[in-house]
């Protein structure tokens, strides 16, 4: 005889199944293309439970982002350099290639690698070469490079082995998810964007 499940645990399991399904659906179709009916079908639950638990599709995305923010500290330690942050995010993205858009989106959409502009002339929008308030932290990017652009490039580099593996294979050779490819992507991006 099996013991009955506790109602609270069943609700929590349903929430987790819905979030997993939403992450997969967002990854496959993007946020705009994802449909709550498809998310519910992936989770194996009634579509109305999305509204009940999250208030809708946006609520699921908000929860995924909130969880990512909580996990951020375990992925990138405080004070990490740009190179270390990039490496950590690249590894995290490539460790979960089954969720390219959503996994990466929930990681990167709310996270900003610590980027600090180099002090001095030409430091750009940070105003006199100080920290850019949009991207606080350690690590220096080349003078004149906009931190928002650096973030965009970092996103693209982290996603391309998952979203366009054949392209990466053709350009770099070898397995797009291999440690060697990760090292190449990280090293070259750091060289491109920083003075290191």
């Amino acid at each position: 005889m099996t013991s009955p499940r506790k109602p609270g645990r069943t609700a929590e399991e349903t929430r987790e199944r819905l979030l997993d399904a939403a992450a997969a659906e967002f990854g496959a179709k993007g946020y705009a293309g994802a449909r709550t009916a498809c998310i519910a079908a992936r989770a194996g639950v009634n579509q109305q439970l999305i509204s009940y638990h999250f208030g809708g599709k946006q609520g699921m995305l908000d929860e995924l982002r909130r969880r990512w923010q909580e996990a951020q500290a375990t992925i990138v330690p405080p004070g990490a350099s740009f190179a270390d942050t990039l490496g950590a995010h690249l590894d995290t993205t490539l460790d979960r290639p089954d969720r390219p858009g959503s996994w990466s989106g929930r990681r990167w959409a709310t996270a900003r690698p610590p980027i600090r502009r180099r002090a001095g002339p030409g430091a750009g929008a940070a105003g006199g070469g100080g920290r850019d308030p949009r991207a606080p932290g350690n690590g220096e990017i080349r003078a004149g490079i906009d931190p928002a652009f650096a973030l965009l490039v970092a996103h693209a580099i982290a996603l391309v082995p998952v979203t366009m593996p054949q392209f990466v294979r053709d350009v770099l050779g070898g397995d797009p998810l291999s440690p060697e490819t990760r090292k190449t992507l990280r090293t070259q991006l750091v060289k491109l964007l920083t003075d290191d």
Side-chain angles (χ1 to χ4, degrees):
M1 180 172 169
T2 60
S3 61
R5 290 185 171 179
K6 296 178 183 176
R9 182 170 178 192
T10 301
E12 186 58 32
E13 288 172 355
T14 299
R15 284 178 56 84
E16 294 305 313
R17 284 199 318 265
L18 282 167
L19 287 173
D20 285 344
E25 190 73 9
F26 296 158
K29 299 176 182 173
Y31 178 79
R35 300 288 175 252
T36 56
C38 295
I39 293 169
R42 279 183 188 256
V45 301
N46 186 304
Q47 184 177 349
Q48 293 174 333
L49 289 173
I50 292 172
S51 292
Y52 175 77
H53 287 289
F54 302 102
K57 185 169 73 166
Q58 181 64 48
M60 287 188 287
L61 181 62
D62 292 344
E63 177 62 14
L64 291 173
R65 285 179 171 163
R66 184 193 67 75
R67 288 180 180 203
W68 166 244
Q69 287 175 330
E70 287 180 357
Q72 180 71 12
T74 64
I75 295 168
V76 181
S81 69
F82 173 71
D84 290 340
T85 301
L86 174 67
H89 284 290
L90 184 63
D91 287 343
T92 305
T93 299
L94 299 183
D95 286 346
R96 294 299 304 263
D98 57 318
R99 297 182 184 179
S102 64
W103 241 137
S104 301
R106 79 185 196 202
R107 269 204 274 323
W108 288 86
T110 58
R112 295 192 185 273
I115 301 170
R116 184 176 54 203
R117 289 179 188 262
R118 180 183 156 124
R131 286 184 181 213
D132 182 340
R134 294 173 299 158
N138 295 324
E140 294 181 346
I141 61 171
R142 286 187 203 282
I145 294 179
D146 183 348
F149 178 77
L151 182 63
L152 180 65
V153 171
H155 277 271
I157 293 298
L159 291 173
V160 75
V162 176
T163 59
M164 300 189 307
Q166 188 58 47
F167 180 71
V168 174
R169 193 175 289 112
D170 291 345
V171 171
L172 298 178
D175 179 5
L177 302 178
S178 72
E180 294 81 15
T181 299
R182 292 180 194 205
K183 182 178 179 183
T184 299
L185 295 174
R186 175 184 171 173
T187 302
Q188 293 302 309
L189 185 58
V190 168
K191 283 182 180 180
L192 180 69
L193 297 175
T194 72
D195 289 326
D196 293 341

